[in-house]
Amino acid sequence: MPHNLLMIEDDARLAQMVSEYLGQSGLHVAHCGDGQGGLARLTGPDAAELPDLVILDLMLPDMDGLEICRRIRALPAPASQVPVLMLTAKGDPMDRVIGLEIGADDYLPKPFEPRELLARIRAILRRRETGVQPAAQTLRFGSLEIDRDARTVTVNGQLADLTSYQFDLLVTIAERAGRVLTRDQIMEAVRGRELEAFDRSIDVHMGRIRAAIEADPKNPRRILTVRGVGYVFAKQQD
């Protein structure tokens, strides 16, 4: 079954090029030239057929891409869980950090190679559809429950707001509770993109996960940082 993508991009020529290239790989791309139109695809009459992934430009004529990402994540599920790959023409790494902090699953600076875009899209879709399939369907750590099949996380019965990538990261470290994992090991386990020079993305996502599941994110009890090494998910039960 082909995947349906939504590209929110004001450069019509770029959108056409991307659509044609991805179409050769069995990906169907719907295009919106502004933020309002893109959001309407997720909230309006067409929302019943949500895209499998949103390609979101940072610079748009009517609305900042960061604001669009915030609004997507604020939507009711399942629209809020649609993966977002952000395109940015800015060279400042902080733009990428902010994008990840507000819920983007990945980023790609412009100009980019179409092959890299395709690889990143496939990685996100693969994480979303497969992930690690352990024996137990639900991981329980006191008030924290991680349902692999439903791809939901609850704390004290309340649904935690996580992106698809953040869910996979949480599962990766939670099923290895008590074991210290390096950033390389975590990213390899979720079968995402290769670790690159800008590796603060993993730290940003971990911060978002802590904000969603920890009672006090500044003093975490679940996801602990091992300075100079990586992260460990603590086994304590609350």
Side-chain angles (χ1 to χ4, degrees):
M1 182 176 178
H3 290 287
N4 295 311
L5 313 183
L6 172 62
M7 186 171 190
I8 307 176
E9 166 66 63
D10 62 328
D11 187 334
R13 292 181 60 184
L14 175 62
Q16 181 177 358
M17 181 272 290
V18 168
S19 297
E20 292 176 354
Y21 181 83
L22 297 181
Q24 297 173 6
S25 298
L27 301 172
H28 176 263
V29 181
H31 172 232
C32 285
D34 56 64
Q36 292 291 352
L39 287 172
R41 295 291 187 99
L42 300 172
T43 61
D46 296 332
E49 298 181 5
L50 290 172
D52 297 300
L53 180 143
V54 172
I55 304 172
L56 175 60
D57 187 26
L58 182 64
M59 305 297 292
L60 293 165
D62 63 333
M63 191 183 305
D64 186 272
L66 296 176
E67 176 60 24
I68 295 173
C69 188
R70 289 190 189 95
R71 295 193 185 189
I72 291 175
R73 293 299 176 233
L75 293 172
S80 62
Q81 300 171 346
V82 173
V84 174
L85 191 159
M86 185 167 288
L87 303 178
T88 171
K90 293 185 176 181
D92 187 354
M94 283 307 300
D95 289 317
R96 306 172 196 174
V97 172
I98 294 172
L100 294 170
E101 284 180 338
I102 63 176
D105 291 82
D106 202 352
Y107 66 88
L108 186 60
K110 292 181 179 179
F112 56 82
E113 287 289 336
R115 287 178 297 178
E116 182 177 5
L117 175 63
L118 176 59
R120 288 178 182 259
I121 290 172
R122 282 176 169 169
I124 294 173
L125 294 175
R126 185 167 60 245
R127 291 195 301 263
R128 179 183 176 90
E129 294 176 353
T130 59
V132 179
Q133 296 298 329
Q137 295 179 348
T138 302
L139 291 171
R140 292 182 175 86
F141 301 89
S143 61
L144 173 67
E145 293 193 2
I146 306 170
D147 188 327
R148 294 185 181 90
D149 285 350
R151 295 184 64 81
T152 59
V153 177
T154 57
V155 181
N156 293 315
Q158 299 296 313
L159 192 65
D161 184 15
L162 296 175
T163 67
S164 175
Y165 187 35
Q166 289 159 7
F167 176 86
D168 291 333
L169 287 175
L170 178 58
V171 168
T172 296
I173 61 175
E175 68 186 10
R176 298 165 176 81
R179 174 183 169 188
V180 178
L181 300 174
T182 67
R183 291 169 177 79
D184 298 59
Q185 289 173 326
I186 294 171
M187 296 186 79
E188 181 181 355
V190 297
R191 296 194 294 276
R193 63 169 187 251
E194 294 181 357
L195 190 65
E196 55 187 66
F198 180 71
D199 64 356
R200 287 185 60 191
S201 63
I202 197 77
D203 300 319
V204 172
H205 283 301
M206 287 299 179
R208 294 285 295 181
I209 297 171
R210 282 171 171 158
I213 71 169
E214 299 276 10
D216 182 0
K218 293 184 178 180
N219 297 285
R221 298 179 63 243
R222 293 289 184 198
I223 302 175
L224 307 179
T225 300
V226 180
R227 191 174 299 277
V229 182
Y231 294 93
V232 60
F233 187 92
K235 290 182 177 181
Q236 73 261 21
Q237 298 296 303
D238 288 339

